[in-house]
């Protein structure tokens, strides 16, 4: 039974990591507040690492952590983790994107209510002994239009709650379909149209080059003067300089900010503006949320290390338990295709073409592509290659790849094909998963075959002639090599043919040399699968 070491570097709910703490296979060390130098001194033997936002996981840390398999961020953002370095060294980075959904949704509503009823200012004045009812006349949310930019889980959660307040919802999201919008009673709009029509706006997108400053000068110039805007997502989505200018010029009425372009924020004009409500990045700061994210990453670490099941990886394809069961035979056959293909070639390819046909083509096939590439690279790059760093390492080798998908197949409900090309040779290998029979390699270089992948395989290109198979069997028998099954693929009588054999034992070099001396045999290739 494997034993794993987990290093917790930031304050985490111990109730949330109870599953790890109680697990007999895991040793958990909680060491918070360490400098990078202190982390480098201890990190080399740990298999998993848990952080929040305080610790920065640098490339040097990842490189020193020679046993590291997983970095878990107990939260959504992974800005403090060097994702490229983790990918380069084959380390899975996971987060907990769903753990703070309710907390962020509720905080958004709290900020909207605080802003529209001027609660912070009224509280401050009354706590200082001033009773001033006339100074604070809020506005109702009922009947108003809320514009939502970014309609993911949190955006949808805000929409549902706002609808219960009697608000009309308009929204922008590039992936929001008309059907889904209609079903949720949301009107789709472009960002510039939201600026024109909304009484309230809330943003719920990640911070990307496309979303940075999406709410800026042009947005505010088009907005209603009574607009109130809320950001509980990421600092930088709203241009803070443009926001201050819009408030000072009376272009909009107010803003509520939980996140900032720089954190902690130093812009005192922003923090002290009378029309702005601020909180110190509290969107995920509830007892329940912190426990949920800790539970989520704890279970993810266990699932990855024990079951190789990946759900919330930032740098790898999603592999839930259901998807894993559904795709498992295809993952296996794509892995075997990679192993077989590279061993049948004399030199590594410069170009790879991957084709997915049938029902399979409708699914996310990225895990199949990664599985093929990882197993194709392992013979030359070693066991450090995995599905996380496979495409990165492929790029480092200057090998290009292309994926093609088609809904139709010829004789199979699902069909996978790979073409490997270099300057001197081209190899085509096709495979499928047959109901009741499992994985099968069904095509090699134009020859129709039917090969169940097993540990020891032998492929022989030859000219078809009477007696040639008997000579082969005699040679293998002489070396005590038993044939489990054999299949002959040929195009024409007496022409080029391919023998494919499943063997119980590996073929030694002496036996292969003798096989190549059989008249008509011109290429003998042994393939050993892991």
């Amino acid at each position: 039974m494997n034993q794993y070491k987990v290093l917790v570097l930031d304050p985490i709910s111990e109730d949330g990591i109870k599953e790890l703490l109680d697990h007999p296979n895991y040793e958990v060390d909680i060491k918070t507040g360490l400098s990078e130098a202190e982390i480098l001194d201890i990190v080399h033997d740990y298999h998993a690492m848990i952080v929040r936002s305080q610790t920065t996981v640098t490339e040097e840390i990842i490189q020193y952590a020679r046993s590291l398999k997983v970095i878990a961020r107990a939260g959504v953002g992974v800005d403090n983790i060097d994702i490229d370095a983790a990918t380069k060294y084959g380390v899975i980075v996971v987060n907990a994107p769903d753990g703070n959904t309710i907390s962020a949704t509720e905080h958004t509503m709290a900020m909207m209510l605080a802003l529209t009823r001027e609660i912070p200012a009224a509280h401050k004045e009354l706590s200082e002994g001033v009773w001033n009812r006339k100074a604070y006349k809020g506005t109702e949310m009922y009947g108003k239009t809320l514009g939502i930019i970014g309609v993911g889980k949190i955006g949808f959660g805000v929409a549902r709650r706002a609808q219960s307040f009697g608000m009309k919802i308009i929204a922008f999201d590039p992936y929001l379909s008309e059907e889904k919008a209609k079903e949720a009673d949301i009107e789709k709009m472009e960002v510039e149209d939201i600026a024109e029509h909304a009484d309230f706006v809330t943003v719920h997108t990640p911070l990307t080059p496309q979303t940075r400053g999406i709410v800026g000068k042009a947005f505010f110039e088009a907005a209603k003067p009574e607009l109130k805007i809320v950001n509980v997502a990421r600092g930088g989505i709203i241009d803070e300089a443009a926001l201050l200018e819009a408030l000072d010029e009376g272009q909009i009425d107010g803003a509520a900010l939980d996140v900032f372009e720089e954190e902690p924020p130093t812009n005192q004009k922003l923090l002290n503006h009378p029309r702005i409500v601020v909180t110190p990045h509290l969107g995920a700061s509830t007892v329940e949320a912190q426990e949920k994210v800790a539970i989520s990453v704890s279970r993810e670490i266990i699932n990855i290390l024990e079951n190789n099941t990946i759900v919330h990886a930032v740098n790898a394809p999603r592999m839930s338990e259901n998807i894993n069961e559904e795709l498992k035979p295809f993952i296996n056959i794509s892995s075997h295709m990679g192993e077989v293909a590279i061993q049948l070639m004399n030199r590594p390819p410069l170009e790879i073409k991957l084709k997915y046909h049938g029902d399979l083509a409708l699914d996310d096939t990225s895990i199949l592509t990664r599985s093929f590439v990882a197993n194709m690279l392992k013979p030359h790059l070693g066991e450090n290659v995995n599905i996380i760093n496979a495409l990165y390492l492929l790029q480092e080798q200057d090998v290009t790849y292309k994926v093609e998908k088609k809904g139709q197949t010829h004789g199979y409900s699902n069909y996978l094909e790979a073409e490997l090309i270099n300057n001197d040779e081209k190899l085509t290998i096709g495979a499928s998963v047959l109901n009741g029979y499992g994985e099968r390699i069904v095509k090699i270089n134009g020859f129709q075959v039917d090969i169940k992948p097993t540990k020891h395989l032998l492929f022989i290109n030859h000219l078809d002639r009477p007696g040639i198979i008997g000579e082969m069997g005699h040679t293998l028998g002489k070396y005590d090599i038993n044939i489990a099954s054999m299949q002959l693929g040929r195009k024409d009588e007496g022409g080029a043919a391919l023998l494919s054999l499943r063997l119980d034992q590996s073929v030694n070099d002496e036996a292969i040399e003798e096989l190549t001396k059989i008249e008509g045999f011109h290429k003998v290739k042994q393939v050993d699968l892991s």
Side-chain angles (χ1 to χ4, degrees):
M1 189 174 292
N2 291 328
Q3 292 292 313
Y4 301 104
K5 293 183 68 178
V6 180
L7 178 61
V8 179
L9 288 170
D10 290 333
I12 301 289
S13 164
E14 290 201 19
D15 287 339
I17 61 171
K18 189 174 187 300
E19 200 166 340
L20 275 174
L21 292 169
D22 293 346
H23 200 296
N25 296 352
Y26 291 82
E27 176 187 335
V28 181
D29 293 328
I30 302 174
K31 298 179 184 291
T32 61
L34 300 184
S35 66
E36 181 174 357
E38 290 171 325
I39 294 171
L40 290 172
D41 283 340
I42 63 171
V43 76
H44 55 279
D45 285 337
Y46 287 94
H47 302 91
M49 182 188 300
I50 301 177
V51 298
R52 287 188 65 198
S53 56
Q54 293 93 322
T55 298
T56 298
V57 184
T58 63
E59 179 169 4
E60 191 172 7
I61 289 173
I62 295 168
Q63 187 177 8
Y64 266 70
R66 61 192 182 203
S67 300
L68 193 64
K69 304 295 182 188
V70 188
I71 301 169
R73 165 67 160 90
V76 179
V78 288
D79 300 348
N80 56 319
I81 300 170
D82 191 328
I83 302 296
D84 290 339
T87 301
K88 178 179 177 181
Y89 292 103
V91 178
I92 301 170
V93 180
V94 299
N95 63 353
D98 300 331
N100 68 353
T101 299
I102 297 297
S103 293
T105 300
E106 291 183 353
H107 195 62
T108 300
M109 299 304 296
M111 294 289 267
M112 287 175 65
L113 288 163
L115 183 61
T116 193
R117 299 307 298 266
E118 302 182 72
I119 292 172
H123 167 80
K124 183 177 184 299
E125 195 167 55
L126 182 56
S127 68
E128 293 171 350
V130 179
W131 181 270
N132 191 1
R133 292 182 65 194
K134 293 181 180 180
Y136 301 103
K137 290 185 179 178
T139 57
E140 293 182 354
M141 292 163 59
Y142 179 83
K144 302 297 193 305
T145 297
L146 171 63
I148 301 178
I149 300 174
V151 194
K153 290 183 179 179
I154 296 172
F156 264 116
V158 170
R160 287 193 294 270
R161 286 158 180 79
Q163 284 167 337
S164 72
F165 277 69
M167 301 186 82
K168 175 187 176 182
I169 309 299
I170 58 178
F172 167 79
D173 190 299
Y175 294 100
L176 177 64
S177 67
E178 293 287 354
E179 182 181 359
K180 193 172 183 180
K182 186 176 180 181
E183 186 179 297
D185 198 18
I186 294 173
E187 184 179 354
K188 279 187 66 177
M189 285 190 181
E190 296 301 316
V191 173
E192 53 268 27
D193 296 321
I194 289 176
E196 185 179 343
H197 291 92
D199 302 299
F200 292 79
V201 166
T202 180
V203 295
H204 300 286
T205 71
L207 182 63
T208 68
Q210 289 73 33
T211 63
R212 182 178 291 278
I214 195 171
V215 177
K217 186 176 178 64
F219 187 96
F220 295 127
E221 287 176 348
K224 295 179 179 181
E226 59 267 28
L227 174 69
K228 296 176 178 64
I229 191 162
V230 178
N231 187 3
V232 184
R234 280 287 179 267
I237 298 171
I238 297 175
D239 183 324
E240 291 176 2
L243 172 64
L244 279 171
E245 184 181 347
L247 288 166
D248 290 341
E249 295 294 326
Q251 291 176 324
I252 66 169
D253 185 61
L257 306 176
D258 182 52
V259 289
F260 305 88
E261 292 177 4
E262 178 189 357
E263 293 187 359
T266 57
N267 187 337
Q268 292 302 313
K269 187 177 180 183
L270 182 79
L271 299 177
N272 295 321
H273 198 285
R275 304 306 302 163
I276 296 180
V277 174
V278 291
T279 51
H281 205 145
L282 301 180
S285 295
T286 61
V287 173
E288 294 86 352
Q290 293 309 306
E291 188 169 322
K292 285 176 190 174
V293 296
I295 290 170
S296 175
V297 297
S298 295
R299 289 178 178 168
E300 186 105 21
I301 287 170
I302 293 170
N303 281 331
I304 290 170
L305 296 179
E306 303 277 349
N307 308 316
N308 197 32
T309 299
I310 306 169
V311 179
H312 293 127
V314 175
N315 61 342
R318 178 183 173 90
M319 285 179 61
S320 70
E321 291 180 6
N322 291 336
I323 292 175
N324 192 32
E325 283 304 310
E326 183 178 302
L327 285 182
K328 188 173 181 179
F330 296 101
I331 295 170
N332 289 343
I333 193 62
S334 61
S335 300
H336 290 142
M337 286 172 68
E339 287 187 87
V340 171
I342 196 63
Q343 293 180 67
L344 288 179
M345 295 193 76
N346 295 319
R347 292 192 303 105
L350 299 174
E351 180 183 359
I352 302 168
K353 297 177 182 177
L354 292 165
K355 301 176 183 179
Y356 302 103
H357 294 184
D359 297 338
L360 187 66
L362 303 176
D363 294 327
D364 179 2
T365 54
S366 58
I367 184 63
L368 306 184
T369 298
R370 287 173 178 261
S371 297
F372 176 90
V373 171
N375 284 276
M376 187 203 76
L377 290 175
K378 277 182 181 178
H380 295 101
L381 301 185
E383 289 301 315
N384 288 331
V385 183
N386 56 38
I387 62 170
I388 310 305
N389 60 11
L391 299 182
Y392 178 93
L393 294 174
L394 188 73
Q395 185 180 20
E396 276 202 333
Q397 309 312 307
D398 290 325
V399 180
T400 62
Y401 78 99
K402 184 169 69 174
V403 174
E404 173 186 303
K405 294 186 176 186
K406 288 186 178 179
Q408 296 179 340
T409 59
H410 300 288
Y412 302 98
S413 58
N414 291 287
Y415 177 71
L416 303 78
E417 184 174 288
E419 188 176 349
L420 288 74
I421 305 163
N422 60 37
N423 291 332
D424 304 314
E425 57 187 330
K426 181 170 74 172
L427 174 87
T428 303
I429 181 169
S432 186
V433 177
L434 308 180
N435 289 334
Y437 296 95
E439 306 168 40
R440 288 292 190 277
I441 295 173
V442 297
K443 178 182 178 182
I444 294 180
N445 280 342
F447 293 107
Q448 297 301 313
V449 296
D450 183 11
I451 305 164
K452 180 180 180 180
T454 52
K455 187 170 181 59
H456 304 296
L457 300 172
L458 190 68
F459 297 90
I460 303 172
N461 289 90
H462 63 98
L463 288 174
D464 184 33
R465 67 170 177 84
I468 199 169
I469 293 176
E471 293 176 45
M472 176 207 64
H474 174 76
T475 301
L476 291 176
K478 189 167 72 170
Y479 288 94
D480 293 323
I481 297 166
N482 190 53
I483 300 172
S485 68
M486 179 182 69
Q487 209 228 355
L488 174 67
R490 71 177 191 180
K491 297 176 182 177
D492 301 302
E493 181 179 345
L498 175 69
L499 269 172
S500 54
L501 300 93
R502 292 169 54 225
L503 306 175
D504 291 337
Q505 297 85 18
S506 183
V507 184
N508 59 38
D509 292 341
E510 188 179 355
I512 289 178
E513 185 178 355
E514 190 165 335
L515 285 170
T516 59
K517 293 178 180 178
I518 295 175
E519 182 183 349
F521 280 13
H522 58 266
K523 185 178 180 182
V524 179
K525 284 280 189 178
Q526 177 173 235
V527 171
D528 291 323
L529 301 184
S530 57

